[in-house]
């Protein structure tokens, strides 16, 4: 008998310990964890530097209200601003909280400019921005919104397929009331679908033309996941607002909204708050993750190792074209798009001690820790090969 609500479809598997890329069950079984809490444990399990940080800070100070100065948060915001497009950072606790705060920031900006009706957000149909009441309507997904009405107004949608180089339908969807376009740079839950660089560039251009803000949701694809600190960097596009979460806490719940100075002008004292957001313990941990992940050598290694992984996976795709249709994604945000439903494949990988997770469109999502070893990549490839062979 479980007293937990039944809102998850859980595997019959639990763990007592984690170390690096591995998880261990109570009977000592060892699993190669290429889920990592869905791109959350960016440095793997029980990273020694994170343990040290948490041990040290836990003896000093965990939580104080945002009514006071929090130097640990000041420092993390500074580090993020120095490394990215952002001028200001607003800390939260999760991805959904960050995407909603991003929407609030966009709306508030136009409100502060005397345009309160410029408040609509244009999103991609069946995207993913979290599970809170506004975020599900931002996604426009039937599966996520069904039974949770009334519909939250203020969101318009375009289809991903409209993200062809010239966006035939995009221009008509932008009205004088559109405040922002919000998209995931790489759609994660939606099946590991990157928005091509030339499309991102075009989005920026059209946002400038129509005086609309560009929100790039990097909750899953950001913080080094692609080998760049942000996935959008490759396109050279500069967004106005970027919600982040997942990877920045290395397993500790942290979210944040990054914004330019221009946009930040609307977020005056009292306009937004979060009780837990940005507390000293979270911020200390965020600092440690940031110090490691933002280093050029660390990012370059992600690029090198992930290219190696992609190459191996593409070889498997060529060997088993009847099973694997396509290798998607960038860096360590990888999708194996199968020809058919992926449920059984994921189960077989699990039986062979490799943990992966599903995404839409028959995709097996593969999310190793960013510091995964080459030998662990080899081990994963071997297991995927074995499962393909037996399939
Ligand atoms: C996971 C995710 C979210 C929501 O994050 P939570 O922490 O689960 O609220 C939002 N946007 C994207 C792109 C995500 O992948």
């Amino acid at each position: 008998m479980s007293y937990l609500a039944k809102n998850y479809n859980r595997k019959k598997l639990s763990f007592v310990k984690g170390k690096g890329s591995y998880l261990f069950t109570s009977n000592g079984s060892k699993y190669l964890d290429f889920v990592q809490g869905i791109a959350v444990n960016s440095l793997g399990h029980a990273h020694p530097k994170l343990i040290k940080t948490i041990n040290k800070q836990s003896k000093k100070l965990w939580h104080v209200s945002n009514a006071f100065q929090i130097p640990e948060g000041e420092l993390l915001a500074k580090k993020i601003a120095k490394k990215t497009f952002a001028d200001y950072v607003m800390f939260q606790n999760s991805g959904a909280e960050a995407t909603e705060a991003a929407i609030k920031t966009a709306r508030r900006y136009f409100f502060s400019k005397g345009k309160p009706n410029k408040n609509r957000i244009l999103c991609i149909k069946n995207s993913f921005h979290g599970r809170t009441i506004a975020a599900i309507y931002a996604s426009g997904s039937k599966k996520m919104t069904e039974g949770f009405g009334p519909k939250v107004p203020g969101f318009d949608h375009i289809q991903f397929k409209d993200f062809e180089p010239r966006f035939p339908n995009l221009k008509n969807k932008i009205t004088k009331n559109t405040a922002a376009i919000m998209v995931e740079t790489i759609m994660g839950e939606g099946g590991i679908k990157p928005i091509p660089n030339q499309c991102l560039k075009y989005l920026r251009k059209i946002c400038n033309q129509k005086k609309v803000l560009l929100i790039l949701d990097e909750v899953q694809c950001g913080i080094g996941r692609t080998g760049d600190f942000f996935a959008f960097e490759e396109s050279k596009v500069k967004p106005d607002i970027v919600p982040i979460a997942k990877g920045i806490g290395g397993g500790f719940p942290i979210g944040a909204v990054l914004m330019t100075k221009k946009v930040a002008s609307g977020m005056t004292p009292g306009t937004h708050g979060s009780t837990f957001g940005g507390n000293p313990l979270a911020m200390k941990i965020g600092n440690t993750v940031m110090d490691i992940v933002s280093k050029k050598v660390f990012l370059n290694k992600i690029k090198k190792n992930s290219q190696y992984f992609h190459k191996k996976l593409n070889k498997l795709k060529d060997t088993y074209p009847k099973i694997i249709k396509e290798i998607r994604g960038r860096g360590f945000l990888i999708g194996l798009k199968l020809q058919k439903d992926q449920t059984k494949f994921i189960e077989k990988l699990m039986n062979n001690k490799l943990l992966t997770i599903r995404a839409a469109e028959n995709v097996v999502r593969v999310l190793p820790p960013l510091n995964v070893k080459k030998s662990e990549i080899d081990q994963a490839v071997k297991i995927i090969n074995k499962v393909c062979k037996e399939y």
Side-chain angles (χ1 to χ4, degrees):
M1 171 72 199
S2 168
Y3 292 90
L4 291 171
K6 303 285 184 279
N7 58 314
Y8 293 108
N9 206 345
R10 298 176 193 271
K11 307 245 178 293
K12 283 199 175 53
L13 190 61
S14 69
F15 306 98
V16 291
K17 198 173 81 175
K19 191 154 179 33
S21 300
Y22 293 97
L23 278 171
F24 300 84
T25 65
S26 56
N27 65 16
S29 278
K30 184 177 170 186
Y31 286 80
L32 187 55
D33 180 13
F34 279 16
V35 178
Q36 292 291 337
I38 316 192
V40 165
N41 309 311
S42 41
L43 302 174
H45 299 281
H47 191 282
K49 283 200 174 140
L50 286 175
I51 291 175
K52 204 170 146 200
T53 298
I54 234 173
N55 281 343
K56 235 171 121 185
Q57 187 62 29
S58 70
K59 295 186 187 86
K60 282 165 61 178
L61 184 65
W62 295 19
H63 180 85
V64 293
S65 161
N66 282 301
F68 305 100
Q69 305 284 328
I70 301 179
E72 298 83 359
E74 295 281 350
L75 186 60
L76 180 53
K78 183 175 171 183
K79 283 175 190 169
I80 293 171
K82 294 275 177 214
K83 284 272 174 196
T84 70
F85 78 98
D87 299 310
Y88 293 105
V89 181
M90 197 162 69
F91 288 110
Q92 318 288 317
N93 308 284
S94 69
E97 211 189 342
T99 56
E100 290 221 7
I103 294 167
K104 285 181 73 176
T105 302
R107 287 182 176 164
R108 184 76 195 180
Y109 167 71
F110 287 110
F111 175 86
S112 74
K113 295 284 164 212
K115 294 177 183 157
N117 294 328
K118 205 167 164 64
N119 55 28
R120 300 194 69 85
I121 314 293
L122 184 56
C123 305
I124 297 178
K125 186 102 185 147
N126 296 324
S127 54
F128 189 86
H129 300 291
R131 294 295 198 118
T132 51
I133 203 90
I136 58 175
Y137 285 98
S139 81
S141 138
K142 179 160 181 277
K143 207 175 117 201
M144 282 199 285
T145 55
E146 197 168 48
F148 297 112
K151 185 177 174 183
V152 174
F155 297 100
D156 299 305
H157 294 99
I158 40 170
Q159 302 285 339
F160 182 81
K161 66 172 164 37
D162 290 338
F163 274 73
E164 296 299 317
R166 298 251 64 95
F167 298 85
N169 292 320
L170 183 68
K171 269 191 172 155
N172 335 327
K173 291 274 182 175
I174 299 174
T175 70
K176 65 178 193 322
N177 292 335
T178 306
I181 297 178
M182 178 166 78
V183 298
E184 298 163 76
T185 315
I186 301 176
M187 290 177 78
E189 307 297 312
I192 316 294
K193 294 197 289 196
I195 295 182
N197 288 335
Q198 78 268 27
C199 293
L200 284 174
K201 282 199 178 104
Y202 187 72
L203 268 183
R204 180 69 272 178
K205 200 172 117 191
I206 206 165
C207 282
N208 291 348
Q209 273 172 14
K210 305 246 177 189
K211 301 218 176 339
V212 165
L213 299 174
L214 181 60
I215 305 174
L216 294 178
D217 183 344
E218 293 255 346
V219 168
Q220 188 159 165
C221 60
I223 324 298
R225 193 47 49 192
T226 60
D228 291 315
F229 188 73
F230 282 129
F232 64 74
E233 285 172 24
E234 202 185 69
S235 70
K236 306 269 194 292
V237 160
K238 212 181 132 207
D240 300 291
I241 304 173
V242 170
I244 62 169
K246 293 196 168 92
I248 187 66
F252 200 86
I254 304 178
V257 184
L258 282 53
M259 61 190 87
T260 60
K261 193 172 169 193
K262 175 184 108 171
V263 170
S265 62
M267 300 308 280
T268 49
T271 50
H272 186 62
S274 168
T275 300
F276 294 111
N279 79 24
L281 184 57
M283 293 298 97
K284 267 287 179 193
I285 293 164
N287 271 287
T288 301
V289 174
M290 187 67 194
D291 289 344
I292 297 170
V293 173
S294 64
K295 285 228 166 66
K296 197 89 205 135
V297 283
F298 187 82
L299 292 166
N300 283 341
K301 201 165 169 198
I302 295 170
K303 275 195 181 140
K304 207 177 113 222
N305 285 345
S306 64
Q307 270 161 17
Y308 173 78
F309 199 6
H310 279 262
K311 212 171 89 192
K312 293 264 175 182
L313 290 171
N314 273 299
K315 234 187 220 158
L316 284 182
K317 182 204 75 175
D318 293 341
T319 313
Y320 305 102
K322 284 193 179 131
I323 301 169
I324 304 171
K325 191 170 179 185
E326 189 190 344
I327 305 299
R328 289 178 168 179
R330 262 169 56 200
F332 284 132
L333 183 55
I334 304 173
L336 273 62
K337 182 176 163 63
L338 304 191
Q339 297 285 6
K340 292 195 182 119
D341 183 79
Q342 75 281 54
T343 313
K344 242 186 164 161
F345 196 87
I346 289 172
E347 207 173 285
K348 286 199 187 299
L349 291 175
M350 192 175 87
N351 293 341
N352 284 280
K353 304 288 193 300
L354 173 63
L355 302 175
T356 59
I357 193 158
R358 62 188 299 127
E361 302 189 351
N362 297 343
V363 167
V364 178
R365 216 172 346 165
V366 183
L367 303 163
L370 303 180
N371 55 358
V372 64
K373 293 193 182 86
K374 219 169 159 184
S375 59
E376 292 160 350
I377 292 173
D378 287 332
Q379 193 192 348
V381 169
K382 214 169 140 186
I383 294 170
I384 298 168
N385 183 52
K386 179 171 178 263
V387 166
C388 284
K389 215 176 196 169
E390 293 166 2
Y391 209 60

